[in-house]
Amino acid sequence: MAKQAVARKPARRSDFLTAIPFVLPALIGLTIFVLIPGIRGVYLAFTSYDVFTDPIFIGIDNFVKMFQDELFWNALAVTSEYVAINIGIQTVVSLFIAVLLHRFTRSTLIRGIVLMPYLISNVIVALVWYWLLDYNLGLVNSVIDFLGLSKFTFFSDMTAMPTIALINVWRHMGYTALLIFAGLQAIPEDVYAAASVDGAGEWRTFRSITLPLLRPVLAFVLVITITGSFQIFDTVAVTTGGGPINATRVFSLWIADKAWGDFNFGYASAISVFLMVLLSIIAFAQTKLLRASESDLER
Amino acid sequence: MKFLKATAAVVTAAALVGGMSVVAQAAPKASGTITYGLWDSNQKAGYVACAAGFKKATGVTVKVEQIGWDDYWTKVNAGFVSGKGYDVFTSHLAFFPEFAAKKQILPLNSYIKRDKVVVDATYQPGLAALWRDPKGVQYGLPKDFDTIAVFYNKQLTDAAGVSAKTMSSLTWNPTDGGTYEKTIAHLTVDKNGKRGDEAGFDKTKVATYGIWMEGSGGGDGQTQWSFLAASNGWKVNDGPWNNNFHYDSPKLAATIKWWHSLSEKGYMPTFAQQNGVGWSDQLAAGKVAMATNGSWMTGSVFGAKSDKFTPALAPTPVGPTGKRASMYNGLADNIYKGTKNPEAAWQWVKYLGSAACQDVIASKAVVFPAIPSSTKKAVAAFTKKGIDVNPFYVHITGKTTFLFPIGDKKSQRNDIINPVMDSIMSGKSDVSALVEMNTKVKALFK
């Protein structure tokens, strides 16, 4: 640590000047597409705005209305349900696939196959599963019926959210597995060799070596996937469209409804701001709790 | 070119301002290119042909774009916001009141007056009034209309021994469902081959449903329950733009209660089961005997003919009033207020509302044009294609139509109504919930 601080000191000023041209392109994009709309969105959250007339400043009215809106609590509940099922299952399955890939195969072909669902467009995945899982015409229920079991309604108000969460587990598990797999490859072989010499089995090796050394990568993967998961939109929009009743009216869909359906852009911005704050808190908490910036690999 | 367009705009603006005082002014010449949007892919060919005719008549080029229903409305709304929307677009009664309230579409009165367009008498009775706000501002000229009928699979009715004559003379009442329910029950078949009206019918293992449910229908139930409720003497309100809603009427409650009972008896899928692939695919797959829907689906349903599906049509049943009933809905074209070329846009709208275009549309046998002479041509064109569309047309000749519930605050009304209707149709709420719902809907207008 001390050595780094000494080395950095004289270089600081010239670094800044050199950095500008490198940062500039990204900075322009960030300013135009993230900062300006972001700040404007925060401003709009405190206004009544229907796009056609100028925004009217109304203070925190939108937020007061939001916390009293039963659809807000509904959105929070169903989105959380989605995230819990999606992330919970996806992380376990991906970790399992990644460890399998790491321990038992060197084949690029298999790694490619694992990634395949992710290469298909979200909308197509959603549409195909919607057909496959249809109560009356779907292949899945035909098989269930053939086996003599009673058919299952995959898109009822009780099952629609879990079904959609699992469709996205199917699509994303390979991609997440590859991210974790990259982390596994960073773990030195000699640690495993040492464990093997000490007589550790697969489970013990996984629990005492793989998992602790994978922690920073897992933390990164969780921050990315949870943030992405909270923003679920396309699969719901293509399949249930928020129904039955409001069982799948997740945040993003609700925001789009309010903005483009009701032209209530002020209110929609307020909900978006809430979602942004919520995600920031979650991401920050995760990074802290999982100590994502530190690694146990330093020796 | 830009200069010319700008000049044209100024001239038009001047004409608009001066239009009232300058009587019998000739229509200025339109030029340039305008964009036109529609959502129904079946109708695109017809309107492309109309655009060619319009180009010949006026020299104005119309670019026709078609995108699916959901994306279409997103694009129309986004066009309002960005100012780069379609110049002219196919509009719907469910949406145009909000567009008008937000001042996004052009009032046509001054153009109509200038060009001496006869509005009401040109079209099927009542259609033009649908596109007029309570103050008398006209926003569109009717281009077509639609009514409701029963689409059914003739292979399944033949197998059940139900004749076409029986299908076309069904009666209904909310107490025992009449011959309408008897037929639906008889057309329902379980896994063991037992029909819905036979002893031992297993409603948990239905192989073929008698009728398909297409959602709860929300506040208008256009294709789901409106034709039943109306044949039971129910009206949604006291006329177009009226806010005295009657969702609390026992007549509606009885209708919806009966309708829901079909899924309890296993003749119709439950709300959860119907959530998936749409009714027309279900019907075409031979897993459903019948489904009620609108005339705009005719081309698509009859196009799905296969060895499992022989499409046929029957009129909606006669209800307790002694008459059939069908919601009467029609489309028209709206002009975007921000169009750079309002003169060309208006002339295109006028052309779309004229027999020149509507006869072309009629010849494609996809929808019913709004001008009576063109309607007849469309019926003939359908017949030529081997499709008997009288089950739709019977509502026009028999004057058994009622108007689409047009009014303000549609999306707020939907926010209140849809969850309640969905909840009733899922069996989670009793129809008594309609009373409180009606109070909430009416409160929107206080």
Side-chain angles (χ1 to χ4, degrees):
Chain A
M1 285 305 271
K3 214 167 84 188
Q4 273 182 352
V6 171
R8 205 190 289 150
K9 214 171 193 177
R12 190 178 282 162
R13 197 172 34 140
S14 61
D15 263 5
F16 180 71
L17 287 175
T18 323
I20 288 174
F22 290 98
V23 175
L24 205 60
L27 193 67
I28 291 171
L30 186 77
T31 310
I32 295 176
F33 296 111
V34 179
L35 284 181
I36 294 175
I39 291 166
R40 191 175 134 84
V42 172
Y43 160 67
L44 288 177
F46 295 94
T47 65
S48 166
Y49 183 44
D50 71 353
V51 195
F52 306 114
T53 47
D54 288 334
I56 303 158
F57 189 80
I58 53 165
I60 59 164
D61 284 10
N62 281 330
F63 292 95
V64 173
K65 183 178 154 196
M66 183 175 84
F67 288 117
Q68 288 167 352
D69 194 334
E70 53 186 83
L71 278 177
F72 167 78
W73 299 105
N74 174 69
L76 191 61
V78 298
T79 313
S80 305
E81 182 191 358
Y82 171 82
V83 173
I85 298 170
N86 179 242
I87 298 301
I89 297 177
Q90 178 175 294
T91 310
V92 172
V93 172
S94 301
L95 191 58
F96 183 69
I97 296 174
V99 171
L100 284 184
L101 284 179
H102 185 236
R103 303 289 285 158
F104 301 115
T105 176
R106 291 273 174 275
S107 159
T108 330
L109 181 73
I110 290 176
R111 289 176 200 172
I113 290 172
V114 163
L115 194 61
M116 250 172 55
Y118 188 73
L119 300 178
I120 310 169
S121 136
N122 259 346
V123 171
I124 292 168
V125 168
L127 277 178
V128 169
W129 278 108
Y130 200 45
W131 271 86
L132 286 173
L133 298 175
D134 184 74
Y135 179 80
N136 208 27
L137 297 181
L139 182 69
V140 175
N141 265 320
S142 296
V143 173
I144 291 175
D145 197 37
F146 178 77
L147 296 174
L149 304 166
S150 51
K151 294 203 276 185
F152 189 76
T153 49
F154 288 96
F155 293 99
S156 74
D157 54 338
M158 294 299 290
T159 56
M161 202 75 258
T163 301
I164 291 170
L166 291 175
I167 291 174
N168 279 336
V169 166
W170 179 81
R171 181 170 184 271
H172 289 273
M173 62 187 182
Y175 174 71
T176 315
L178 280 195
L179 289 180
I180 299 173
F181 176 71
L184 289 174
Q185 284 187 313
I187 302 172
E189 279 297 321
D190 58 345
V191 189
Y192 286 105
S196 153
V197 168
D198 288 346
E202 280 298 331
W203 174 242
R204 183 63 203 259
T205 312
F206 173 75
R207 212 165 49 92
S208 305
I209 296 180
T210 310
L211 218 46
L213 293 180
L214 200 59
R215 200 200 60 240
V217 173
L218 264 184
F220 163 76
V221 167
L222 278 174
V223 169
I224 297 286
T225 53
I226 289 181
T227 312
S229 190
F230 261 101
Q231 296 172 36
I232 168 75
F233 178 82
D234 37 21
T235 319
V236 180
V238 168
T239 55
T240 58
I245 312 177
N246 285 314
T248 56
R249 201 161 301 280
V250 290
F251 268 118
S252 308
L253 203 74
W254 189 45
I255 291 169
D257 279 353
K258 286 290 139 195
W260 298 102
D262 298 356
F263 291 105
N264 207 338
F265 280 77
Y267 192 39
S269 300
I271 307 163
S272 308
V273 166
F274 169 83
L275 190 59
M276 182 181 77
V277 172
L278 178 73
L279 290 181
S280 308
I281 293 172
I282 292 173
F284 182 75
Q286 278 180 310
T287 323
K288 282 289 158 202
L289 289 174
L290 290 164
R291 292 180 293 125
S293 52
E294 302 164 29
S295 170
D296 295 333
L297 263 178
E298 278 156 20
R299 291 183 277 184
Chain B
M1 201 51 208
K2 264 216 171 117
F3 169 74
L4 275 179
K5 262 190 189 168
T7 321
V10 171
V11 170
T12 317
L16 266 175
V17 174
M20 297 299 163
S21 54
V22 186
V23 184
Q25 186 188 20
K29 185 144 174 52
S31 61
T33 301
I34 54 168
T35 53
Y36 176 62
L38 75 159
W39 65 77
D40 185 0
S41 58
N42 296 314
Q43 296 185 48
K44 194 182 175 187
Y47 286 103
V48 168
C50 278
F54 184 62
K55 168 102 181 159
K56 231 179 241 169
T58 63
V60 175
T61 307
V62 179
K63 277 195 208 158
V64 180
E65 185 184 87
Q66 178 269 324
I67 44 176
W69 173 268
D70 288 330
D71 296 329
Y72 179 78
W73 294 108
T74 310
K75 176 153 184 178
V76 166
N77 284 323
F80 291 157
V81 176
S82 67
K84 299 206 186 313
Y86 299 121
D87 294 303
V88 180
F89 62 95
T90 308
S91 194
H92 194 277
L93 290 173
F95 300 111
F96 109 83
E98 288 195 16
F99 296 163
K102 298 234 180 306
K103 300 198 190 322
Q104 292 306 307
I105 50 178
L106 211 58
L108 304 179
N109 293 38
S110 54
Y111 291 108
I112 289 169
K113 199 172 166 193
R114 185 194 74 193
D115 293 358
K116 293 182 178 156
V117 175
V118 178
V119 180
D120 290 77
T122 306
Y123 307 102
Q124 294 282 5
L127 282 182
L130 289 171
W131 293 92
R132 193 148 59 219
D133 78 2
K135 289 181 194 128
V137 180
Q138 190 83 30
Y139 286 99
L141 298 181
K143 56 190 223 169
D144 60 25
F145 71 84
D146 50 71
T147 56
I148 307 299
V150 179
F151 289 90
Y152 67 94
N153 187 345
K154 197 165 176 300
Q155 295 178 13
L156 298 180
T157 50
D158 284 352
V162 176
S163 70
K165 199 174 165 232
T166 310
M167 285 302 289
S168 62
S169 54
L170 297 172
T171 58
W172 172 81
N173 67 71
T175 320
D176 66 5
T179 58
Y180 188 55
E181 177 169 337
K182 283 200 179 74
T183 308
I184 292 170
H186 191 59
L187 289 171
T188 309
V189 188
D190 75 5
K191 238 179 120 180
N192 305 318
K194 284 253 187 283
R195 294 196 170 273
D197 53 0
E198 285 176 328
F201 167 71
D202 184 355
K203 67 176 183 182
T204 63
K205 297 219 167 10
V206 177
T208 310
Y209 287 100
I211 190 165
W212 191 255
M213 187 205 298
E214 183 203 6
S216 71
D220 56 60
Q222 183 179 13
T223 60
Q224 295 90 347
W225 49 259
S226 65
F227 57 93
L228 295 175
S231 76
N232 194 27
W234 181 75
K235 276 192 177 112
V236 64
N237 58 11
D238 299 336
W241 303 94
N242 180 280
N243 301 327
N244 187 24
F245 290 97
H246 301 305
Y247 291 113
D248 56 352
S249 159
K251 287 177 178 168
L252 178 66
T255 306
I256 301 296
K257 198 180 173 76
W258 173 82
W259 187 43
H260 178 244
S261 78
L262 290 183
S263 66
E264 288 176 320
K265 291 169 188 160
Y267 305 157
M268 178 168 81
T270 64
F271 190 77
Q273 289 164 353
Q274 61 85 36
N275 213 329
V277 177
W279 71 272
S280 57
D281 290 321
Q282 300 281 0
L283 189 66
K287 296 276 204 173
V288 176
M290 56 192 263
T292 52
N293 219 283
S295 48
W296 64 90
M297 287 304 293
T298 310
S300 159
V301 170
F302 278 78
K305 190 174 173 172
S306 72
D307 54 350
K308 276 190 229 155
F309 180 48
T310 307
L313 281 168
T316 54
V318 174
T321 57
K323 283 180 177 173
R324 306 179 195 285
S326 164
M327 192 177 278
Y328 191 35
N329 182 29
L331 302 183
D333 301 292
N334 287 159
I335 301 176
Y336 169 45
K337 194 145 196 191
T339 176
K340 301 270 190 308
N341 198 345
E343 185 55 42
W346 156 247
Q347 295 204 12
W348 171 234
V349 166
K350 193 168 72 169
Y351 188 79
L352 290 169
S354 72
C357 174
Q358 300 207 353
D359 282 352
V360 172
I361 301 299
S363 71
K364 305 280 177 190
V366 180
V367 290
F368 296 114
I371 299 174
S373 60
S374 306
T375 309
K376 288 209 182 85
K377 284 181 187 161
V379 172
F382 273 116
T383 312
K384 213 171 144 193
K385 266 174 131 180
I387 306 171
D388 176 13
V389 288
N390 265 309
F392 292 114
Y393 196 52
V394 72
H395 292 289
I396 304 297
T397 49
K399 296 191 168 51
T400 50
T401 58
F402 59 96
L403 298 177
F404 186 89
I406 185 171
D408 279 330
K409 306 199 179 182
K410 171 86 174 171
S411 47
Q412 283 109 309
R413 277 188 279 140
N414 282 349
D415 284 350
I416 296 170
I417 296 171
N418 292 350
V420 175
M421 284 301 301
D422 287 2
S423 178
I424 292 172
M425 286 314 288
S426 338
K428 288 183 189 302
S429 301
D430 183 72
V431 284
S432 58
L434 291 169
V435 177
E436 193 199 336
M437 178 189 99
N438 195 58
T439 313
K440 281 191 188 168
V441 170
K442 281 165 94 170
L444 285 175
F445 298 93
K446 273 178 189 150

